Amino acid sequence: MLPESKFPLTNDGPARQVHDFKSGNEAAALAARDIGFHVMGYFPITPSTEVAENLSQMQADGEHDIVMIPADGEHGAAGICYGAALGGGRVLNATSSQGLLYSLEQLPVQSGTRVPMVLNVSTRTVSGPLDIRCDHSDIYFVLNAGWIILMARDPQSAYDMNFAAVRIGEHPDVRLPVIVAYDGFLTSHQKRRIDRFDDPEAVKAFLGEREDPYTALDPERPVTFGPYMNDPDLINNKVQQHEAMEAARRVIPEIFAEFAELSGRNYASVDCYQMDDADVALVLLNSAAENAKEVVDRLREQGQKVGVVSPNVLRPFPTDAIRKTLKNVRAVVVGDRGDSYGAEGGNLSLEVRAALQQDPDNKTLVMSRIYGLGGKDFYDTDAEEFFHEALTAAKAGKVEVPFEYHGAYAGDDCAGPPPGLPPIKSEDVSRGMGTATPNAETGKLEVELKPLWEMTTTPSRIAPGHGACPGCGFFPMLRQAYNVLEGNIVVLFQTGCAMVTTTGYPKTAHRITYIHNLFQNGAATLSGLVEMYHERVRRGELPEAPVGEDTTFIMVTGDGGMDIGMGAALGTAHRNHRMIILEYDNQGYMNTGSQLSYSTPFAHRTSTSEVGDARSGKRFHHKDTPQIFAACNLPYVFTASEGYPEDFMRKMTKAQWYAQREGLVYGKVLSFCPLNWRTQDDAAQEVLQAAIDSCFFPLYEVEKGSTHLTYDPDAIGRRRAVSEWLGMMGKTKHILAPEHADQLEMTEQEIDKRWRRLKVKHEHPEL
Ligand SMILES: Cc1ncc(C[n+]2csc(CCOP(=O)(O)OP(=O)(O)O)c2C)c(N)n1
Ligand code: SF4
Ligand SMILES: [Mg+2]
């Protein structure tokens, strides 16, 4: 029986609730809606992206008014959240894997200054190599960040823990930010029955108001947040942080009890299954523990006294509860979905061992197993094996193998990658399809192109057959670029559709050297390689090539890569390394399911700028990336489109010339994406043409600081209305509806303004 409730009672029970059928991400988003956070700062990353996507749809439908701020990367998202939380309201974020790691630097800042918020982590393997599926290697990185970490084993607990997280973090004795971690895909994407609140008053009463001792928005009480603090004071700050964590040990059960009163669902710091008389046990986190419980039932039927232990709270680590639970257990296998390399155990194993070690009488044998990495499934047979190992150790009274990877297999030394097309040699592709010659009078380059039909005979540096959608514009674009590029090329692809669709271990479509780095750092990585190349040539370690015949370095990036990777790209541009940054702009984060990028135009529909009765489309204008790079005083900046091959290939010819001799080149290419633009697969030509003729995407170049339009629709009488272009795509049709006339007008005005400025630059010799 639940104690008498202080919340409004419905149906003679706890708060009124309804059944629903939701995944973990959906449940987290519903919790966010029901909690009514003030601000969400976020950046999309699989598998947590759906939290923001669901909230975007709910917002478009008028279901909540959380201010959702799409950050330029997770580091930015963490900053947005920190800043917002300093203002005293409730703040939310959701991320995974590299996203969590990219925000890691900010996490201790927030905990160290004691600013509560809630961060949902849909756990995923960290790179490299890149793997989008579940393990706990990301969450393990955060164990020392000073955040409370609640584990959610299924969609129901993902929903519930968000409510508890708000209260725990804001408790006056705690005041710490809180993570709610659930398993990527296994929980984030699997739908289960959940009960969710249908009782705003009861929820409101449970949550109460956030009360901050100080905020950054109180002019009556100006406060200094984060003063410069050295020895001898800093250690005291850390003691207070430690004390806050210790207070959380007491507060968490209290809040869980209150939550049980509200919901009827009871959480303990450690979830124990059949542990009262267990001889052996598995200690596992989240969904794997649920699988193991089924095996417990089977083994118990066979007379084996087995059980499962699974912390619901990882920080503060429930040391006492673990020690008590395992006191009489003879052998335990601790499974870690992530290694602490070189420590002979993952973090959970190490902490369980440490907890037991504090009890001098404890005799429990502990084995550590690394399992389920990179999304490797944990089946009941795996749990059976673990139990078998624990039972064997218990019987023998000793552990044969204290630490091991479970489920790894020996590679076949003879296998090797499957044979593909042979690598492309420099001479195969150096065929003079584009020739750049400096004009002594203008100081600019003039380009001669061979006829298009002749170019079709140039072998491609990329193999035919790829995993992209039919009609994807990236491949024609790359083909056109490669047509005119001479000699040896090294490419670095940042994360995105182009990367994912051309490499999938153990295969590659690249017939030249290819590198992947994550899109927050590709430009810096390639700049390092460029300098190593030139230095090794200078030292005589690599052959010196005549000027214009040495290796060309190209970074291929999406428009999203130029959001999160902008800092690294601008650093690279300011250092003026001899390389090309080639951006294919498909107007969104397509690889992760069409979220808005800063290059997504105003009012366009994406999965994080949904269209509904209350809201519709992206809320700010597209980023003018070429102008940003032009302001870096680079030798050459251009825009192009795969719909204008000759124009693009002329520009690529120039790009190579400048990148080999003078420094960094940046090019932005409008690239067709039928899937997310919501068009027919074969509509590239007409849609791109309309984007260019409506002056949304002007074709121009900035050569040595001077702007030159390479296509002027006004001058040749081909200027078209912006609405013609917008009417061609499913993602923009709503803008033409009468009720969105203001969006159309704002779009037209912005496009026209940018176009007029560009024309002025084109006409002025110094601009
Ligand atoms: C630090 C980090 N955050 C987020 C992601 C998830 N992510 C991978 S690709 C991608 C979108 C890339 O967009 P863009 O550069 O435009 O390339 P496209 O997918 O459109 O081809 C995102 C958000 C990631 N891999 N790493
Ligand atoms: S989503 Fe768009 S960019 Fe990505 S492969 Fe498909 S068509 Fe190409
Ligand atoms: Mg993109």
Side-chain angles (χ1 to χ4, degrees):
M1 264 306 269
L2 288 165
E4 196 181 330
S5 176
K6 63 178 183 238
F7 301 104
L9 294 181
T10 47
N11 307 328
D12 298 330
R16 192 174 59 242
Q17 299 182 56
V18 290
H19 295 324
D20 214 330
F21 186 56
K22 295 290 173 194
S23 69
N25 282 338
E26 290 167 340
L30 281 173
R33 178 198 66 179
D34 296 347
I35 290 165
F37 287 95
H38 291 72
V39 172
M40 176 178 196
Y42 70 95
F43 188 81
I45 182 162
T46 307
S48 59
T49 314
E50 279 181 349
V51 178
E53 289 178 336
N54 277 285
L55 283 166
S56 173
Q57 185 62 64
M58 288 189 249
Q59 187 172 55
D61 296 339
E63 289 183 33
H64 68 81
D65 51 10
I66 301 170
V67 177
M68 295 184 63
I69 307 179
D72 54 336
E74 290 84 356
H75 195 244
I80 290 167
C81 290
Y82 181 49
L86 286 170
R90 288 189 167 138
V91 176
L92 168 76
N93 189 358
T95 192
S96 302
S97 181
Q98 293 320 103
L100 185 61
L101 265 63
Y102 196 37
S103 51
L104 189 59
E105 178 270 339
Q106 281 290 293
L107 303 188
V109 174
Q110 185 144 355
S111 57
T113 49
R114 309 282 297 281
V115 184
M117 66 164 279
V118 180
L119 168 60
N120 281 273
V121 175
S122 174
T123 65
R124 164 184 151 183
T125 315
V126 298
S127 228
L130 190 143
D131 178 323
I132 60 166
R133 300 206 293 150
C134 173
D135 63 35
H136 296 150
S137 50
D138 54 0
I139 199 74
Y140 279 5
F141 269 98
V142 185
L143 291 172
N144 293 332
W147 287 48
I148 289 168
I149 303 176
L150 307 179
M151 304 301 286
R153 59 194 59 252
D154 52 22
Q156 180 70 68
S157 52
Y159 181 78
D160 293 345
M161 289 293 183
N162 270 275
F163 292 87
V166 170
R167 286 287 312 280
I168 293 166
E170 291 176 12
H171 191 284
D173 296 344
V174 178
R175 296 200 54 75
L176 286 173
V178 184
I179 284 172
V180 175
Y182 47 87
D183 288 354
F185 290 109
L186 300 168
T187 299
S188 67
H189 282 65
Q190 276 195 34
K191 286 189 191 263
R192 293 276 181 86
R193 198 187 93 163
I194 66 164
D195 285 347
R196 62 174 173 79
F197 297 118
D198 183 28
D199 200 340
E201 285 310 311
V203 168
K204 211 170 152 200
F206 171 78
L207 292 174
E209 295 294 321
R210 174 167 166 148
E211 282 176 20
D212 292 84
Y214 316 98
T215 82
L217 296 176
D218 182 357
E220 300 300 316
R221 297 179 69 198
V223 187
T224 299
F225 288 97
Y228 168 55
M229 182 194 286
N230 267 351
D231 160 74
D233 299 311
L234 189 103
I235 194 164
N236 296 329
N237 165 281
K238 295 303 150 202
V239 166
Q240 288 176 5
Q241 220 179 311
H242 157 76
E243 283 169 354
M245 234 349 143
E246 291 308 306
R249 278 188 208 285
R250 168 178 56 77
V251 168
I252 289 171
E254 288 169 13
I255 305 286
F256 279 167
E258 275 192 55
F259 185 78
E261 216 183 305
L262 174 76
S263 66
R265 291 182 291 280
N266 220 332
Y267 293 93
S269 293
V270 177
D271 179 279
C272 296
Y273 190 71
Q274 298 282 21
M275 285 303 299
D276 288 348
D277 61 346
D279 274 342
V280 305
L282 305 190
V283 184
L284 295 165
L285 290 174
N286 277 1
S287 59
E290 296 305 288
N291 293 358
K293 285 177 184 174
E294 290 186 23
V295 178
V296 167
D297 294 344
R298 283 213 297 273
L299 291 178
R300 287 239 162 210
E301 276 168 24
Q302 295 163 19
Q304 305 283 13
K305 289 184 182 171
V306 295
V308 177
V309 177
S310 181
N312 281 320
V313 182
L314 209 50
R315 281 291 177 273
F317 191 67
T319 320
D320 279 351
I322 291 280
R323 205 169 31 239
K324 280 181 196 140
T325 309
L326 296 180
K327 187 162 185 60
N328 299 316
V329 171
R330 288 160 61 204
V332 61
V333 170
V334 187
D336 277 287
R337 255 192 161 125
D339 195 356
S340 176
Y341 302 99
E344 299 194 355
N347 291 90
L348 186 62
S349 303
L350 302 176
E351 299 197 9
V352 167
R353 281 194 177 120
L356 296 180
Q357 197 268 340
Q358 286 171 26
D359 175 0
D361 300 328
N362 182 279
K363 301 269 184 323
T364 311
L365 300 168
V366 181
M367 284 156 280
S368 173
R369 297 291 177 265
I370 307 293
Y371 77 99
L373 300 191
K376 198 171 178 60
D377 286 311
F378 183 74
Y379 294 116
D380 54 354
T381 45
D382 298 301
E384 267 165 24
E385 267 187 61
F386 282 1
F387 276 123
H388 178 71
E389 290 193 72
L391 287 163
T392 309
K395 198 167 166 200
K398 63 175 181 171
V399 170
E400 291 294 344
V401 185
F403 171 72
E404 199 176 34
Y405 271 62
H406 172 83
Y409 54 92
D412 178 355
D413 286 344
C414 307
L421 291 173
I424 285 278
K425 293 203 197 76
S426 167
E427 51 272 26
D428 297 341
V429 279
S430 303
R431 297 156 52 120
M433 292 296 150
T435 316
T437 319
N439 179 322
E441 247 175 64
T442 61
K444 311 245 177 82
L445 294 178
E446 281 173 8
V447 175
E448 282 274 323
L449 283 188
K450 288 268 166 65
L452 290 183
W453 63 263
E454 218 176 304
M455 293 187 184
T456 57
T457 61
T458 309
S460 181
R461 292 176 178 89
I462 189 126
H466 53 70
C469 313
C472 177
F474 172 72
F475 289 89
M477 182 206 95
L478 192 62
R479 171 81 206 194
Q480 288 169 24
Y482 280 165
N483 273 345
V484 291
L485 293 173
E486 303 269 294
N488 289 322
I489 292 178
V490 172
V491 283
L492 183 148
F493 278 36
Q494 301 209 105
T495 320
C497 276
M499 167 257 169
V500 169
T501 56
T502 56
T503 60
Y505 182 81
K507 297 188 179 156
T508 178
H510 298 277
R511 300 173 70 188
I512 56 175
T513 293
Y514 159 98
I515 301 161
H516 164 249
N517 197 1
L518 295 139
F519 55 174
Q520 52 276 35
N521 226 358
T525 306
L526 198 62
S527 75
L529 186 63
V530 168
E531 294 313 314
M532 179 57 86
Y533 170 68
H534 292 298
E535 182 57 15
R536 291 196 64 195
V537 169
R538 191 186 70 77
R539 293 185 188 201
E541 293 167 8
L542 291 176
E544 187 167 0
V547 176
E549 289 178 29
D550 49 0
T551 302
T552 305
F553 295 86
I554 307 176
M555 181 179 93
V556 175
T557 176
D559 48 306
M562 286 294 100
D563 290 342
I564 186 170
M566 195 53 155
L570 286 180
T572 304
H574 286 123
R575 297 190 300 269
N576 201 26
H577 299 276
R578 280 173 278 172
M579 57 184 263
I580 300 170
I581 296 179
L582 188 60
E583 173 188 330
Y584 63 99
D585 176 4
N586 51 23
Q587 304 186 333
Y589 305 154
M590 301 322 190
N591 171 53
T592 38
S594 184
Q595 296 83 29
L596 71 83
S597 79
Y598 288 10
S599 291
T600 303
F602 174 68
H604 286 216
R605 173 185 220 142
T606 69
S607 63
T608 46
S609 57
E610 281 292 358
V611 175
D613 291 341
R615 284 282 177 88
S616 93
K618 189 184 168 214
R619 304 185 74 198
F620 55 98
H621 288 290
H622 62 288
K623 179 174 181 173
D624 203 342
T625 321
Q627 288 297 310
I628 296 173
F629 279 98
C632 296
N633 296 308
L634 301 178
Y636 191 55
V637 170
F638 69 89
T639 66
S641 164
E642 84 235 12
Y644 271 81
E646 286 181 322
D647 178 72
F648 176 39
M649 289 191 287
R650 272 177 207 288
K651 289 168 177 169
M652 279 311 293
T653 307
K654 286 188 181 188
Q656 185 168 36
W657 194 95
Y658 281 117
Q660 284 178 325
R661 292 167 181 82
E662 297 201 1
L664 196 131
V665 171
Y666 165 82
K668 185 182 190 73
V669 185
L670 185 62
S671 184
F672 182 57
C673 173
L675 185 73
N676 293 318
W677 294 7
R678 305 187 190 199
T679 68
Q680 295 295 319
D681 297 344
D682 58 359
Q685 194 56 41
E686 53 176 314
V687 178
L688 295 174
Q689 186 72 54
I692 293 164
D693 285 342
S694 65
C695 297
F696 162 74
F697 196 88
L699 299 180
Y700 68 100
E701 58 192 359
V702 185
E703 191 170 355
K704 297 189 159 174
S706 121
T707 305
H708 171 65
L709 287 168
T710 57
Y711 178 84
D712 181 352
D714 285 341
I716 54 172
R718 293 190 64 169
R719 178 90 184 254
R720 287 155 81 182
V722 175
S723 54
E724 276 189 51
W725 167 57
L726 298 176
M728 291 175 174
M729 298 176 287
K731 69 166 179 157
T732 42
K733 284 208 166 118
H734 62 278
I735 306 173
L736 303 183
E739 64 272 26
H740 292 137
D742 56 333
Q743 289 191 327
L744 178 59
E745 198 184 331
M746 283 169 75
T747 304
E748 287 167 343
Q749 282 173 358
E750 183 69 19
I751 289 176
D752 201 50
K753 183 178 76 188
R754 293 190 192 186
W755 172 243
R756 279 187 279 115
R757 281 188 190 154
L758 206 56
K759 280 188 104 167
V760 170
K761 290 183 180 175
H762 169 74
E763 281 152 16
H764 196 295
E766 297 294 333
L767 296 177

